[in-house]
Amino acid sequence: MNSSNPSPIDPISDQQVKHLEFIQAIVTRLGNGSFLIKGWTLTAAGIFFAVLSKSLSWKVAVTGFIPIAGFWLLDSYYLRQERLFRKLYDEVRLPESTVEPFAMSVNNYHSAVPWVNVIRSHTMRNFYGTLALVNVVFLVGGILKAHS
């Protein structure tokens, strides 16, 4: 077999395996952080929705967008970081990898994972967009109530 074209079964070094374990630990922590953020988002939005269901107010509904938007941005940060570390992982896992051993910098991948793409990803839009849409319904209801 030609040594310039490594086969999928070419071994990687023990050092690379350890490096991959470190990167995977970071990806796992970022995923757990994202999960917790979604829990806090549901809690905060649930409180606003409960208050709005008892006393419909457009002012409270407008205020309800603040935690949704804030958590959306924070969760997008975590998701972007996770994607950046996955890019690093993909490069380190190659037998011919040129990544410095145990390097954890993801600066080389920033252009490959733009913020806008993460914020608008299906994951983010489906979760936070749904909450924002429910909040819009309360906002419209609050505006209609104020004008009646």
Side-chain angles (χ1 to χ4, degrees):
M1 182 170 279
N2 185 349
S3 63
S4 66
N5 292 328
S7 72
I9 58 172
D10 281 348
I12 60 174
S13 71
D14 291 340
Q15 195 174 37
Q16 281 176 294
V17 170
K18 196 62 167 168
H19 192 178
L20 291 170
E21 289 172 359
F22 288 157
I23 296 168
Q24 183 57 49
I26 291 171
V27 169
T28 300
R29 282 196 314 269
L30 290 166
N32 288 338
S34 180
F35 178 78
L36 290 171
I37 290 167
K38 284 181 175 65
W40 279 104
T41 304
L42 285 176
T43 301
I47 290 169
F48 275 98
F49 297 161
V51 168
L52 287 165
S53 69
K54 296 286 185 195
S55 165
L56 198 55
S57 164
W58 69 268
K59 292 176 185 176
V60 175
V62 168
T63 307
F65 284 112
I66 294 170
I68 293 170
F71 284 127
W72 190 334
L73 291 173
L74 183 60
D75 199 9
S76 294
Y77 170 80
Y78 272 79
L79 180 59
R80 182 170 189 247
Q81 289 299 114
E82 183 179 330
R83 288 179 179 182
L84 290 169
F85 276 98
R86 281 195 212 144
K87 293 277 186 197
L88 175 62
Y89 186 99
D90 284 343
E91 195 169 325
V92 169
R93 73 179 174 78
L94 300 173
E96 71 278 1
S97 175
T98 58
V99 175
E100 182 181 331
F102 302 104
M104 300 302 256
S105 174
V106 293
N107 291 336
N108 294 339
Y109 313 106
H110 282 229
S111 63
V113 185
W115 263 101
V116 156
N117 291 358
V118 177
I119 291 170
R120 294 186 331 194
S121 69
H122 292 293
T123 307
M124 296 291 126
R125 280 186 309 178
N126 290 342
F127 184 79
Y128 295 97
T130 301
L131 292 175
L133 187 60
V134 170
N135 204 57
V136 166
V137 170
F138 280 116
L139 176 62
V140 170
I143 291 171
L144 292 175
K145 180 182 174 190
H147 288 291
S148 58

